[in-house]
Amino acid sequence: MSTTLDTDICIIGGGIAGLWLNARLRQAGYQSLLVERGALGGGQSVKSQGIIHGGIKYALGGKLNAATEAIAGMPERWRSCLAGEGELDLRGVRVLSEHHYLWSPGSLISNLAGFFASKALRGRVEQVKGKALPTVFNDPGFRGKVYQLGELVLDVPSAITRLAELSGDGLIADSSPHLLRADDGSISGVQLHGATIRAQRYVLTAGEGTDALMQEWGESEPAMQRRPLQMVLVKGADLPPLFAHCLGASPKPRLTVTTHPCEDGQWCWYLGGELAEQGVNQTADALIDAAKRELAELLPWINLENCQWTTLPVNRAEPAQSGLVRPDNAYVQAKGNALISWPTKLALAPNLSDLVLEELTRQQVKPQAHPPLPSDLPRPRVAEPIWDMCFR
Ligand code: FAD
């Protein structure tokens, strides 16, 4: 027997974007129901580095662009939520580092001239020296410079867990939800096993899965692009905390390192940046060798002998743009009774929810009275941290 679940807004996909939006919608008085086909956060979100960017890495070329401006306010917005004073109460979410750093390994200062000349960076980047240096750089062999950025790094699984709590009864697990197409081309519902969801609006926040949902709906626009990466994970008992972009010769970070707690008490360095972009077509072994060479050159005093190594291929999903350039804001496109969206960055999830709420207001979609949702809906679980999964 199939039940109909009536709601104001049906969200498809429970990563950071869908969960943040679900919490905001409920706060704004809408009834919402989020469908997740796997584990909450199990797409890109828990595979991300958790950096709440303020856009500083995009200013490395010496040019400020729309990306830098659009996300400049995000660290403050997240910080106020973490302090229980923002739009969502994220108290209890684990902050792995209050600051992210920028580190120039040698005499690369000429590359940075344009960067530091930029007015918009004033007060957002500060050089640290001596005792204020993160411990990892506290070695006589270190010759570079280190700058503290006004950006923080989160433990994403704990953020997903908290956002799931804020979703109350508005989460449902279903392994293969299907979009139903009405004769006029709009979405008439979402078919689950044993239930159909009918909503005023449908918001697609399925990350990489949005591509297939669009095909199922029979629509080709807006199109999606994938940006493949192969990340490297290094696990060890004695790894010091490192949260930093290492500058290279190009405007993109040569290496971006974040440090994450493993269930057995060890630590995992998660390596992104150019290494992960260039590693896409390499075998895991070749990429691990390249990562070992990079770390031996950049941090030769760190002993990595007893560490475990692995890699994680993962795609970023974003709205299609020519030349695979980075999109510069959260993206929300209204189409019929749907909104198709990608945050483009974890940090921009609040921005995505603003754009959806603005669009609902513009379309005059108002909360309506609905029967309460059943209390026994199958609830999706929260994804496991990859620093545990990848080493099993
Ligand atoms: P996802 O997290 O991918 O969530 C989509 C969800 O939809 C998944 O749970 C999936 O199971 C579900 N789903 C898919 N199809 C369906 C369907 N048909 N029905 C129901 N559910 C479905 N951003 C930052 O700001 N800072 C960083 O440090 C950072 N680091 C990154 C590092 C890496 C390696 C990668 C890949 C990305 C990084 N990002 C970072 C980007 C960031 O992770 C993403 O922009 C963000 O997590 C996307 O969130 P999302 O909710 O749109 O998608």
Side-chain angles (χ1 to χ4, degrees):
M1 193 185 72
S2 182
T3 321
T4 300
L5 303 170
D6 279 309
T7 190
D8 289 319
I9 313 292
C10 173
I11 302 170
I12 304 166
I16 197 80
L19 287 167
W20 194 289
L21 175 63
N22 195 28
R24 287 285 309 279
L25 286 170
R26 293 167 81 87
Q27 207 179 46
Y30 291 99
Q31 195 196 76
S32 58
L33 189 51
L34 182 155
V35 190
E36 169 56 52
R37 72 169 177 195
L40 296 169
Q44 298 153 87
S45 297
V46 296
K47 296 172 188 145
S48 82
Q49 295 194 278
I51 305 164
I52 303 302
H53 296 288
I56 289 174
K57 81 170 177 179
Y58 303 108
L60 283 176
K63 283 182 229 132
L64 282 181
N65 56 24
T68 330
E69 297 306 331
I71 63 177
M74 289 301 137
E76 257 333 289
R77 203 154 157 191
W78 279 83
R79 279 188 208 278
S80 58
C81 291
L82 291 162
E85 292 158 5
E87 65 211 57
L88 300 179
D89 183 353
L90 298 188
R91 276 175 300 176
V93 170
R94 184 168 179 182
V95 176
L96 297 176
S97 178
E98 285 295 339
H99 297 287
H100 198 61
Y101 293 86
L102 195 66
W103 129 60
S104 112
S107 55
L108 265 172
I109 208 66
S110 58
N111 284 353
L112 292 175
F115 174 62
F116 287 116
S118 149
K119 270 194 220 153
L121 289 176
R122 250 172 236 160
R124 293 168 58 195
V125 181
E126 197 183 310
Q127 188 173 357
V128 285
K129 295 181 181 170
K131 289 207 174 86
L133 280 174
T135 47
V136 66
F137 300 116
N138 248 324
D139 185 276
F142 180 60
R143 296 271 169 275
K145 290 191 165 48
V146 179
Y147 302 86
Q148 182 180 284
L149 310 179
E151 304 182 345
L152 61 158
V153 185
L154 291 186
D155 177 51
V156 176
S158 76
I160 297 288
T161 302
R162 177 64 188 141
L163 288 169
E165 282 167 17
L166 295 177
S167 288
D169 61 357
L171 299 176
I172 183 164
D174 190 277
S175 57
S176 54
H178 291 293
L179 296 186
L180 303 172
R181 186 179 169 100
D183 291 343
D184 65 0
S186 65
I187 297 175
S188 59
V190 178
Q191 185 64 58
L192 311 177
H193 294 96
T196 309
I197 304 175
R198 307 232 182 251
Q200 299 192 60
R201 290 293 180 276
Y202 300 86
V203 186
L204 309 192
T205 52
E208 203 177 349
T210 293
D211 201 16
L213 286 169
M214 294 293 288
Q215 283 175 32
E216 179 171 62
W217 182 21
E219 298 292 337
S220 55
E221 295 291 332
M224 193 190 90
Q225 73 184 20
R226 290 176 173 81
R227 202 147 50 83
L229 298 168
Q230 186 168 194
M231 305 290 284
V232 178
L233 294 88
V234 193
K235 178 173 164 178
D238 302 318
L239 286 177
L242 175 54
F243 299 91
H245 301 297
C246 174
L247 294 172
S250 88
K252 287 186 190 168
R254 171 173 171 182
L255 197 64
T256 298
V257 188
T258 46
T259 310
H260 304 266
C262 302
E263 60 188 349
D264 59 5
Q266 299 196 52
W267 293 94
C268 174
W269 276 1
Y270 193 35
L271 311 181
E274 278 200 307
L275 177 85
E277 287 189 24
Q278 290 168 1
V280 166
N281 297 318
Q282 297 184 33
T283 62
D285 286 346
L287 182 59
I288 288 170
D289 283 345
K292 285 181 176 170
R293 284 194 300 274
E294 275 291 78
L295 292 174
E297 186 184 328
L298 295 167
L299 302 166
W301 56 90
I302 301 289
N303 182 357
L304 299 172
E305 250 172 42
N306 296 320
C307 289
Q308 291 171 263
W309 297 75
T310 190
T311 69
L312 176 71
V314 52
N315 289 326
R316 285 189 164 202
E318 301 165 336
Q321 304 206 353
S322 57
L324 285 183
V325 291
R326 285 188 177 83
D328 53 20
N329 207 342
Y331 176 94
V332 176
Q333 173 75 55
K335 183 157 191 144
N337 60 347
L339 287 95
I340 295 94
S341 67
W342 292 276
T344 75
K345 280 166 206 71
L346 179 101
L348 284 165
N351 179 235
L352 182 142
S353 66
D354 290 348
L355 297 175
V356 171
L357 282 157
E358 280 163 22
E359 185 58 27
L360 294 178
T361 306
R362 200 188 63 76
Q363 294 187 14
Q364 301 189 342
V365 177
K366 300 204 168 82
Q368 290 179 356
H370 301 280
L373 292 166
S375 56
D376 56 351
L377 295 177
R379 200 175 163 85
R381 64 185 169 85
V382 173
E384 259 190 280
I386 53 155
W387 354 106
D388 295 329
M389 264 163 59
C390 288
F391 286 104
R392 273 188 204 131

